[in-house]
Structure formats: structure tokens, C-alpha cells
Amino acid sequence: MSATADIARYRDYFKDLGRGERVEVLAIPTSNQKAIFQRRVSYLEEVADLLNIDSEPLSDSYCSGPSPSMAKADIKAKVHKLIHDLVLHIHEHEPDIEKSILIFLPTYYALEQQWFLLKPFSSSFKVHILHSSIDTEQALMTMKIWKSHRKVILATNIAESSVTIPKVAYVIDSCRSLQVFWNSYQKKESAKLVWVSKSQADQRRGRTGRTCDGQIYRLVTRPFFIQFDEYEGPSVLRLSLRLQVLQICCAESKAINDPKALLQKALDQPHPEVVEDALDLLVHMQALEKTSPRGRYEPTFYGRLLSSLSLSFDASLVVLKFGDIGMLREGILLGILMDTQPLPILHPFGDEILFAEYADSYFCGDDGNTGLNGRKEMVFMANLCAFQFWQRVFKDNHRVERLKQLLKFDEMKATAFRLPKIEEDWCSSHNLVQSSLKHVSEIYEDILDSVHRYRPKFLSTSNGLPSYYDPYEFEHICLPTCQQPNEDTDALTTDDKHLEPSSETMKCVAVPFVAPNNFQNNDVAKKLATIIKQIRVQHTEDLSSNQDLDVDDGYHVNGEASICIYFVNGSCNKGSQCLFSHSLKAKRPPCKFFYSAQGCRYGASCFFSHDESSSVTSSNSTLCLPEGGEAKATLLIRLLPADGCILLLDDTNLQFSSNFARHYDPSKIVSTTSLSDTSIFDSSLTGVKILWGLYHPYETIISKAGESQIPWNEVKCVLWFPNFDSYSENLDRQKLLLQNFFEYLAVRMLADDLDNVRVILTMNNIRFAQLQVEKLGRESFFFLTESFPFDDASFGELPDKVSTKKPLMVSRPISYVFDLHPPSDIQFGDYAAGLHSFLHHEIQDDV
């Protein structure tokens, strides 16, 4: 544990374990370093003497009050100037240029303010930023030791622990921090500036004195500091506990799934009202249900699914609400973006205008009909479009190239080796953060896998074709232009040992990258605006009231003219012709920011109404229900073609072929098996065309032994029932088998223009999630269009069975229907002709 934790409290908490068990505190000795570095702490009094500041009341001037309990933790302009003057003083009097300065500030805005003050001194300082919104690679630049400029690191509390920055000799601690609290009025989490605790200050002190002697300047007076709390308050006492209460209720063990009882045993017990409020909200949302008069709560299917998503509470709600309206994949991405830092679009530090340009090139939101009220939602939409643009343009191009080189192994290896650098350059030229895009991709698959494990009702009809394929004719032609770096370029973008601004960079100027209403972005934005409003209402409405609410038109509230703002201010010049009411008793129009993701910052003092009953339709939408109903043979039979034939791949013992022949014309069935021609006497197989001795997929889809025996021009539907018996529990080999299936089938279908062939994969849904089969299909342009329970009583049992002990999680055979969505030849040229030539040329060579 951290050296500044309250060890005694933890030890005492665990003292009554029973059975003779106890918790020991182990002190880990420091390393046997030869040099022992000193740390000296100075307070505001010493800083004032150092800088010859007037002997005015320092606490009132720089701390806004005589004590932490009476002073706001805001940072005034005076404090920023004090920090700046102190930096210049250190630089002037410290001869060793390699000794750097670490400055702790509470917010992104405070970092920007100090950065602006240091910009004119770029010939003396290299300024680095440590903040959660800064890309990891840029943050790692703080580790570099400069020999001709002094390094200054501006950091939030992200730099308090778990990082040792070489040659930090000076720490300037503003003694302020940004903490998140549950705002009971706004019913959302809000950030607030607070004074740090003594333990936090000690952590910051520990950032120096590691590789050299250290000097710490705390910008509060010594008496002021003495009154700080010893330790910062735990999150369990500050937050709403909605997600934590839900997760406790979802625990498998009944010994710990009562949140009231369990949380009262916590090291710091939350107030019972907070737990009760969380339970009431979850019951109101139908994520929990009360099952006994004693107050026992059981999670519903909706609650278990909600708790399984690795996102914050509100982000998880966004995902499932988008799933309810048939846009699950877009909802997953938006939910992830709500929780992600840094976001995919590059955010140049200190340049909000340039960031706005970058964001507008992906989503401008100028339509005015999207209903988005806050800048935050606009940024989410811009980043969604940026992620989709990366998928549609860069990733699809890579997928096409991989299919073209599928059997050219040497070329594939060379391309794979160069890909990271190619992608990095492409992202840079389109103002994107490569690491953020990859992070979003990884979390996306995790969330999608959870949904497949639980199989909510909306999943069966959820179309996996991404909205970024609308329009199909989308085209982006890069127009690279060399751009010289800005004169104010700082260390965030410079990695030159001589500290010269980096050489010219390539930027694509073919903007906008995503035009208005490309990728259905306006429709998605409207849905996002509605869902955010629904969530806000759900959190704020009277729990006893479920009536539908009216929508306001801007002039009237529930049929009455709303109050005129200008009349209240004494400046309305329209008199009786004003469309708004000049009566002080008139109802106030709803506050549009109250229903945004950011919320209204004015709280109870806002002129506009925060009454949800006058603004938006009630949030009681269709509840997220589990997939119901029995497996029916007709669900699968309806997809079999009336013309042409069906292909059953790798039906080793022909049990599926036999059963399908009872429901479908046997003469239209083609089956492959790895068995040699044997005497199988099954009258139902009469008429079925059986291709013996073909190993799948290497001898079925793409034959290396001459022209394929499969009549591909007649095939209208491909069915496969993967058998993993020979792979034991080796998930990597199972995944490779599925990957090869999709890749080879994509080459065959694209080369021979078979994109109307339907592909049906039947397997256990948990195995489907484990192997990320939807992702494997997507990588070869196969997209899931629907899925439904497989009737094994009619068609035969799958050999692969997966058990699960988790309540309400499904484990059953599912038929997954994939359609091939060919990439646009407008964007990628006539790739199909190349695949056709290559595929049949290879076959002729083998002959």
C-alpha cells in the first residue's frame, strides 16, 4: 500500500478475523542507494520572503481565508502570478539546467493558465503536461532530461504517485485538488475544488528527493496547512453508490449481496440515506426488485446486464437504451467515449480554437435539429464520427489489403511489420490519437461480449452493420499538405535533442472528413440527445410519479406562455406584442442545459426551470428483457433459399445433413466432410451431394488441389457448425480456425461476386462471446444481421457445450446470421478483380 495510507486504521479494521488469523504490517526497506537525498519544505511565508512580497495577510490574499474550513480552494490570478514568479526565481538562481520543476495544479484550466504565462519564455523552458486527457506517449516525454532548457512539468494529481520523474528538484504545490462529489440537487456527479489532505501533500513532496535533493514550496501558510485533514475523504462517502449497490446485489454469495448490511461493515460507512436513495433509484429503474418485507433486493435481468458492463453507471444506461432502439453498436461506442480519456480526436493543449476545428471536421452539429444542448455531447458525437472514419477509411483499407495478400505470406509479414508506423502517420495527419482509438476498440469488444453472454431481447434483431457504411459510396481522398509547426510549439510535440521545433508535419486538408449526415450522424445525435434527457429525468423525477410529460415548444409551458426573460431584466421592448408572458407568476421555460450531459452549473439559482415535468417525455421506455421463447425450426428454415443450394461445411458424421434433409429438399444440399468415402446407410441422405475427404477450411473454401469441387455459383446459403473437440480448451487455436473461415470465405465470395450468399454460423453463445466471433467476422466484412436460438431437437445437438453458474446468463446454441458487405470500389478500387485473378491463378498453378 501507499506509504501515506493510514496503516493503523487498516490493521485495526482486520483485527477480528477470528480462527487465530491476523493481519501483519510489513515494512519494505528502502533500496541500498549510496546517496541519501534531502527534502526541504517551505511555506507561503518563506516564498513571500524569497520573492519580496509585501507583508499583507498572506492567507487572505492567496488562500481566500484564514483557514481551510473558511476558504474556497479556488485559484485566483494572484496565485498563478505567484507560481510564475517563483518559477522564474528558481530558474535564475539554480545553475544546474537539468534540474526540473514540477507544479501541482488542480484542473485542466489551471494548467492552461500557467502554460500561457510560460509560453513567452520558450527559449528558457520546455513545458510538459501530465493530465488524463494527454496521450501516454506525450506524457512520457516528461521523462526526458533536457540539456539546454529547463524542464517544467504542469501536473494534476495524476502525478502524485506511481511515477518517478528524473531530476525533479523543485515541487511547487498549489495544495488544491479536484474531487468528484454526488450532487444531490442535480442528481449527477459534479467536480469541486478542495484543499488537499496532509497525506496528499506528502505524496506530492515525495515526487522530489529521489534522484537529487529536493525543495518543496507549499503555497499556503504554515498555520493554514496545519489545519488540513490528515487524509482525504474516501470515495464511498462522496459518490452516489448506484453502481456499487447494484454490483453488491448481483454478487453470487448471499453472504455479501445485501448492500445495507455489507456497507455498514465498510471501513468508512456511507450514510444509510445514500444507500437507500441508490436502492430506490434502482428499483424505480427496474434494475432491482424488492422480494421481501425485510428489504431483500434481487437484481432483475436488466440489473445483471447493467452491472456486467465495464463502464460507469450512466454510460452503461446509454448503451442499453441505444440497444432498445436498434442502435446497439453506436450506443456502445458513445458509452465508452463518455468514460474515455484521452478521446480519439487530438486535443492540442492550450488551443481550444484548434481543437474545435479538429472536432468540427468530424461533426459540426450546425443542423440545429439534433437536439444536442451541450458542448460535451457535441464532442462525444465528433469522436464517434472520428472513430467510425478511422474504421471506414484506414481499417477497411488494411482489411482489403490483408485479404489480397492472404496467401502471400512473405508480403503479409512485411505489411504487418510496417503497419503500426503507417497507422501512426495516418492518425497524425487526420488529427487522431492512435492509442485512444485502439483503447476504444478493445473496450468495445468487451462490452459487446457481455451483451452476447446475456442475450437481451433486442439482440436477436440487432443489425451489426455499422452506421458508417451509410452512404455506401462514401469516399475520402487524402490531400496531404506539409505544415510548419507553430512558433509556440512546446514539448508536447517536440522530440529533438537540440530542442528545435519538429520538422514539417503532414496534415490532410480534405475536410470535412465526415460530411453532415454521413454515417447517419444527425440521427444518432438526435437519439443521444433524447436518451440523455431520459436519463436525467429518470434520476430527478418524483419516484412516485410515472405519468407521461408534455414537450415544450419554446414559447409555452404546458399550454401557457412562459415568462419573458427580458421583461424580468427590464429590457423587453416588444410590449404587448411579445410572445412571452410579462407576468411574474408565469411558468419559467425549461433549462436546456439541465438535461445535457454536463448539467446546469447554476443549480437552484438558475433563471430557467429544472422541473422535469415541463420538459421531456418520461423515461419509462421499454424495459430491457431477456430473450424469450422456445427454439423453433422455422426460424432457421425461413432463411434457406428457394432457388440454388445450401452448403453444409465440415459436417463430419453427416448428422446435420441428415436432419436438414428432413426439412429441406435433399437435392439442394451440398455437404463436406473430412471422412473418406464410407458406407453410411441413412435413407434421409439420399439425394444429398456429399464431398468426401475435404478438410475445412483449407480444402473446402479455397482448394489448393485444383478447381473447387463445390458448385459455388449455385450456393445461396453457407451453414457451419464449428466442432472444437480437437482443440481442447485452446481458445487461440479455436479463434484462428474461425478467423481463417471468415478470411477464406471473404476471398471466395468477393472474388466470385457471391455477396448475396447468406452465412449462418451455429455455436454456443458463450463460446461466441469468448472467441469474439462478431469481431472476427467484421474484420473480413461479414456483419451480424440477426441471431436466434437453434432448435437442436430438430437439427441435431452441437458437440460444444459451455456451462455457466451466473444467474440469468444464457448458455445455449444460437444461430448467427452474417451477411457480407463488400467494401466500396469507389474507395478501394477494383479489388474484386484482383482477388478473382489471384484466386483462380493460384488454382491453375496448383493444377
Side-chain angles (χ1 to χ4, degrees), residues 314-501:
D314 284 350
S316 297
L317 288 176
V318 166
V319 171
L320 297 187
K321 284 184 177 292
F322 264 96
D324 277 340
I325 60 175
M327 303 184 79
L328 173 65
R329 279 82 184 169
E330 289 74 19
I332 292 176
L333 288 171
L334 284 165
I336 296 169
L337 292 170
M338 290 172 68
D339 285 358
T340 295
Q341 285 286 6
L343 287 164
I345 298 177
L346 181 66
H347 192 154
F349 186 80
D351 197 336
E352 292 301 313
I353 295 176
L354 185 57
F355 172 63
E357 289 180 13
Y358 290 170
D360 288 348
S361 67
Y362 290 102
F363 180 76
C364 62
D366 290 335
D367 190 351
N369 296 320
T370 61
L372 295 178
N373 293 323
R375 177 63 182 164
K376 202 170 184 180
E377 293 97 315
M378 299 285 284
V379 170
F380 289 152
M381 278 303 306
N383 279 276
L384 171 66
C385 293
F387 180 88
Q388 294 175 322
F389 177 78
W390 171 64
Q391 287 283 337
R392 179 75 192 263
V393 177
F394 181 84
K395 298 296 285 184
D396 272 7
N397 181 61
H398 171 60
R399 290 165 185 139
V400 168
E401 291 303 314
R402 194 186 71 254
L403 291 177
K404 287 160 67 174
Q405 300 170 7
L406 187 60
L407 300 180
K408 302 177 182 178
F409 297 111
D410 291 338
E411 290 186 24
M412 261 188 102
K413 290 177 182 177
T415 302
F417 180 77
R418 297 193 306 267
L419 182 63
K421 177 59 178 172
I422 295 172
E423 185 171 26
E424 180 184 347
D425 292 342
W426 185 91
C427 288
S428 175
S429 68
H430 293 87
N431 309 313
L432 298 175
V433 179
Q434 182 185 18
S435 60
S436 178
L437 292 166
K438 291 184 178 297
H439 170 77
V440 172
S441 296
E442 291 169 2
I443 304 300
Y444 175 87
E445 303 304 337
D446 289 341
I447 303 299
L448 193 57
D449 293 347
S450 289
V451 177
H452 277 300
R453 290 171 191 267
Y454 279 91
R455 290 201 60 80
K457 188 175 182 179
F458 63 69
L459 185 61
S460 61
T461 55
S462 177
N463 192 327
L465 183 66
S467 57
Y468 57 76
Y469 282 112
D470 182 9
Y472 178 73
E473 300 80 12
F474 178 84
E475 182 180 18
H476 172 76
I477 300 175
C478 279
L479 296 176
T481 302
C482 294
Q483 291 187 358
Q484 294 293 335
N486 190 292
E487 292 180 1
D488 295 323
T489 299
D490 64 271
L492 293 176
T493 55
T494 304
D495 189 16
D496 186 273
K497 65 181 180 180
H498 300 298
L499 295 142
E500 293 297 328

Side-chain angles (χ1 to χ4, degrees), residues 100 354 406 468 576 621 647 773:
S100 55
L354 185 57
L406 187 60
Y468 57 76
S576 59
S621 58
L647 172 63
V773 181

Side-chain angles (χ1 to χ4, degrees), residues 639-640 716-718 749 756-760 817-819:
L639 298 176
L640 304 183
K716 301 300 180 185
C717 181
V718 175
M749 291 174 63
N756 290 325
V757 174
R758 179 175 284 127
V759 179
I760 303 176
V817 183
F818 288 88
D819 282 348

Side-chain angles (χ1 to χ4, degrees), residues 452-453 455 627 629-632 635-636 656 720-722 760-768 787-803 810-816:
H452 277 300
R453 290 171 191 267
R455 290 201 60 80
E627 182 179 56
E630 296 294 325
K632 297 178 181 178
L635 292 174
L636 184 54
F656 296 113
W720 185 34
F721 305 84
I760 303 176
L761 199 65
T762 301
M763 59 191 297
N764 180 276
N765 69 293
I766 293 182
R767 185 77 70 199
F768 184 92
S787 56
F788 47 83
F790 174 70
D791 183 9
D792 50 9
S794 298
F795 298 110
E797 289 191 6
L798 294 183
D800 186 34
K801 300 185 187 305
V802 183
S803 60
V810 178
S811 179
R812 66 193 301 187
I814 300 291
S815 289
Y816 297 93

Side-chain angles (χ1 to χ4, degrees), residues 274-348:
V274 176
V275 180
E276 197 67 50
D277 284 347
L279 287 167
D280 287 344
L281 174 66
L282 292 167
V283 170
H284 175 64
M285 292 172 53
Q286 302 182 55
L288 294 177
E289 56 186 6
K290 202 169 185 177
T291 58
S292 71
R294 295 182 179 181
R296 194 79 183 179
Y297 295 86
E298 288 291 336
T300 61
F301 173 82
Y302 177 50
R304 289 196 181 275
L305 178 55
L306 198 61
S307 72
S308 74
L309 306 183
S310 55
L311 296 172
S312 65
F313 189 78
D314 284 350
S316 297
L317 288 176
V318 166
V319 171
L320 297 187
K321 284 184 177 292
F322 264 96
D324 277 340
I325 60 175
M327 303 184 79
L328 173 65
R329 279 82 184 169
E330 289 74 19
I332 292 176
L333 288 171
L334 284 165
I336 296 169
L337 292 170
M338 290 172 68
D339 285 358
T340 295
Q341 285 286 6
L343 287 164
I345 298 177
L346 181 66
H347 192 154

Side-chain angles (χ1 to χ4, degrees), residues 219 333 489 542 557 624 710 757 805:
L219 302 186
L333 288 171
T489 299
D542 182 357
V557 179
C624 181
I710 296 173
V757 174
K805 295 181 180 179

Side-chain angles (χ1 to χ4, degrees), residues 654 657-662 664-667 669 679-688 690:
L654 300 176
S657 300
S658 174
N659 288 318
F660 268 88
R662 295 186 177 95
Y664 189 67
D665 184 351
S667 65
I669 299 176
S679 299
I680 294 181
F681 299 101
D682 186 340
S683 59
S684 63
L685 290 173
T686 302
V688 175
I690 303 173

Side-chain angles (χ1 to χ4, degrees), residues 587-782:
K587 292 187 176 181
R588 295 172 182 248
C591 172
K592 64 179 183 178
F593 296 107
F594 183 67
Y595 298 100
S596 68
Q598 189 71 36
C600 176
R601 62 181 177 177
Y602 294 108
S605 64
C606 180
F607 173 83
F608 296 94
S609 171
H610 288 187
D611 177 12
E612 71 279 354
S613 63
S614 63
S615 169
V616 66
T617 304
S618 174
S619 58
N620 283 340
S621 58
T622 307
L623 185 65
C624 181
L625 298 171
E627 182 179 56
E630 296 294 325
K632 297 178 181 178
T634 52
L635 292 174
L636 184 54
I637 292 173
R638 67 186 168 87
L639 298 176
L640 304 183
D643 299 319
C645 66
I646 65 172
L647 172 63
L648 273 71
L649 288 171
D650 199 30
D651 187 10
T652 304
N653 58 12
L654 300 176
Q655 70 147 333
F656 296 113
S657 300
S658 174
N659 288 318
F660 268 88
R662 295 186 177 95
H663 297 86
Y664 189 67
D665 184 351
S667 65
K668 293 182 179 180
I669 299 176
V670 178
S671 300
T672 73
T673 175
S674 58
L675 297 177
S676 57
D677 193 350
T678 58
S679 299
I680 294 181
F681 299 101
D682 186 340
S683 59
S684 63
L685 290 173
T686 302
V688 175
K689 182 175 182 178
I690 303 173
L691 303 178
W692 303 92
L694 295 183
Y695 287 91
H696 176 70
Y698 311 104
E699 296 178 339
T700 54
I701 300 173
I702 297 181
S703 175
K704 295 183 179 180
E707 192 67 45
S708 174
Q709 300 177 50
I710 296 173
W712 284 105
N713 60 324
E714 300 176 20
V715 173
K716 301 300 180 185
C717 181
V718 175
L719 298 104
W720 185 34
F721 305 84
N723 188 341
F724 301 113
D725 283 349
S726 60
Y727 295 91
S728 184
E729 288 300 314
N730 190 325
L731 296 182
D732 288 337
R733 290 186 62 202
Q734 294 176 16
K735 188 176 288 190
L736 182 61
L737 175 67
L738 288 157
Q739 178 183 328
N740 289 337
F741 165 74
F742 283 119
E743 288 177 342
Y744 290 162
L745 192 57
V747 170
R748 169 63 68 181
M749 291 174 63
L750 291 171
D752 291 348
D753 194 22
L754 303 174
D755 49 279
N756 290 325
V757 174
R758 179 175 284 127
V759 179
I760 303 176
L761 199 65
T762 301
M763 59 191 297
N764 180 276
N765 69 293
I766 293 182
R767 185 77 70 199
F768 184 92
Q770 284 177 334
L771 301 178
Q772 297 186 333
V773 181
E774 186 169 344
K775 175 188 176 184
L776 296 176
R778 192 187 322 123
E779 290 297 311
S780 294
F781 302 102
F782 285 99

